[in-house]
Amino acid sequence: MAVVTTTDLTRRFGPITALDAVTLELPPGGIIGLVGPNGSGKSTLIRVLLGLIRPTSGSATVFGHPITSPKRYASGVGTMIESPAFVASLSARANLVSLAHLHGTPMVRVDEVLAQVGLLGRDREPVRRFSLGMKQRLGIAAALLTDPDLLILDEPTNGLDPAGIVEIRGLLRGLARDGRTVIVSSHVLSELEAICDHLVVIRFGKLLFAGTMVELLGRTRDHIDIAPEHDADLERLATVLRDDGWELVPAEVGLRVLAGADRTAALNRAATAAGITLSRLAFAQDSLEELFLEMTGRVDGELAGARDAAEGKVA
C-alpha cells in the first residue's frame, strides 16, 4: 500500500496557487526526495498532508487514511518542519523528556533516539551550546520519539556546512535502513541525489516528475560541448551547425550540441568544412543537477518571471 496518495490536490492562497492539481503515489520504505525551487509548494504539500492546512480541492491519504482525519495516522508520522524549536537553557535530554511526557511516550525512547542521532554524551549540555547541525539532529530525535513509520523532514540540511550535510545524509540513510519511509524536502537536488530512492519534483505547485532516481536518470541527455578557437567564429559556427541539422541547446560557454559520443568526429568535420578550428570538443552527459535546473529554472529572475507569467501578471 502507498504511504501517501494525492488526487488533484490543490491549495490556493488568494491569487497564488501553491498546489495545482497534484496527483501522486509515494511507495513505502526508503528515502523520498521532495525537491523544487523556493516557493514551489513543497512546504504547503507537507502541511496539507499533516492536516495543518486544508486543501482548496482534491484529496489525499496517509497510510490509507484521508487527510480529513489526521488523528487516525498522526501517531505514525514524525515531523520536523523548518528549524526545530527547543528551550535553549535546557539540555537536549530535558527537552526530549518534556516532549516524551507530552506524547505519553515511554522514557526509554529518549535514550534510544539520542543514540540514533549520535547525541549521547552531549545530551546533558544546554541546547544553546549546540551547533546548527546538532540542533538539526536533536530535531530529528524529537521527530523519532513516537517511533513513527513515516518521517517527514522539511529542509533538514538548510544552513548547514558541507560536513553537517554529510552528517545528516548518513543519519537519514540509517533511518531508511531501519525500514522507515523518510520524506525529505529540499530546494537543492545535489543534497538529495546521493541518498534518494524516489524523487518528486514540483515547481509553482505543479508536479513535474514523480518516480525513481533511475527513471529520472533516464531523462538525461548525451551532448557534445564545443568551442571555436576564435570567439568571433562562435555565431557563424552555430549557424552552420543548425543549417546542417545539428540540434543546439543553450550553454554557458561555447556551444552544446545534442549528440552521442559516436558523433564527435562528424561534428569536428562539420566545423572544419566551414573553415573553423575547434579549441574544445568534449562529450558528456547531463547531470541530474542540470536536468533539475532545466525543469525548474536556473536563476531567481527566471523563476520569478515564469511565476508572473503563470499567474497572468504583466511586467
Side-chain angles (χ1 to χ4, degrees):
M1 181 182 69
V3 172
V4 170
T5 68
T6 72
T7 303
D8 293 329
L9 194 65
T10 300
R11 172 67 197 199
R12 298 187 184 90
F13 296 96
I16 303 296
T17 302
L19 294 176
D20 192 352
V22 173
T23 297
L24 57 81
E25 190 172 293
L26 302 183
I31 301 177
I32 300 170
L34 176 59
V35 63
N38 285 326
S40 63
K42 304 184 301 297
S43 295
T44 300
L45 176 58
I46 288 173
R47 284 166 170 76
V48 169
L49 293 177
L50 295 176
L52 299 177
I53 56 177
R54 293 180 180 178
T56 304
S57 61
S59 61
T61 67
V62 179
F63 297 131
H65 301 298
I67 57 172
T68 51
S69 303
K71 289 183 178 180
R72 297 174 65 183
Y73 58 81
S75 62
V77 182
T79 64
M80 185 177 77
I81 301 176
E82 297 179 343
S83 298
F86 296 102
V87 180
S89 60
L90 295 180
S91 69
R93 176 177 291 276
N95 272 282
L96 291 180
V97 165
S98 177
L99 289 173
H101 279 302
L102 185 65
H103 292 302
T105 303
M107 289 300 113
V108 67
R109 282 295 294 162
V110 173
D111 280 323
E112 290 173 354
V113 298
L114 284 169
Q116 275 184 289
V117 302
L119 285 179
L120 278 179
R122 304 291 302 273
D123 55 295
R124 298 190 184 278
E125 296 179 26
V127 172
R128 64 170 174 267
R129 296 183 188 171
F130 278 15
S131 66
L132 181 56
M134 291 172 68
K135 289 177 181 176
Q136 292 295 85
R137 282 193 281 159
L138 183 57
I140 295 173
L144 289 169
L145 268 176
T146 59
D147 198 17
D149 292 318
L150 172 61
L151 194 63
I152 301 178
L153 308 176
D154 192 10
E155 301 273 4
T157 59
N158 196 27
L160 298 184
D161 59 20
I165 291 173
V166 171
E167 193 175 78
I168 296 298
R169 282 178 186 165
L171 173 57
L172 298 183
R173 287 192 194 98
L175 294 173
R177 283 195 298 269
D178 289 342
R180 289 183 175 83
T181 303
V182 183
I183 298 177
V184 186
S185 79
S186 178
H187 61 280
V188 182
L189 178 60
S190 58
E191 292 182 1
L192 301 178
E193 184 176 343
I195 61 170
C196 287
D197 309 291
H198 195 99
L199 275 177
V200 174
V201 182
I202 191 170
R203 178 181 186 262
F204 301 157
K206 289 186 178 293
L207 181 67
L208 300 184
F209 174 84
T212 65
M213 185 68 75
V214 172
E215 289 174 307
L216 188 60
L217 280 168
R219 293 192 177 192
T220 59
R221 303 168 300 182
D222 292 344
H223 62 260
I224 303 170
D225 290 331
I226 60 174
E229 182 180 17
H230 304 293
D231 291 342
D233 290 331
L234 184 62
E235 188 174 340
R236 184 164 66 90
L237 176 60
T239 300
V240 167
L241 293 178
R242 287 194 184 97
D243 290 346
D244 255 0
W246 296 88
E247 185 179 357
L248 276 61
V249 294
E252 292 183 9
V253 179
L255 300 173
R256 175 161 292 183
V257 184
L258 295 184
D262 60 336
R263 299 286 286 156
T264 53
L267 186 58
N268 192 28
R269 285 194 297 269
T272 301
I276 299 173
T277 300
L278 298 180
S279 62
R280 184 186 183 205
L281 180 67
F283 168 75
Q285 189 177 46
D286 292 342
S287 68
L288 280 181
E289 189 73 18
E290 288 174 319
L291 178 59
F292 173 66
L293 292 174
E294 191 72 27
M295 294 169 69
T296 62
R298 294 182 175 273
V299 296
D300 287 344
E302 181 179 335
L303 291 168
R307 180 179 277 282
D308 285 348
E311 292 167 7
K313 296 180 181 177
V314 178

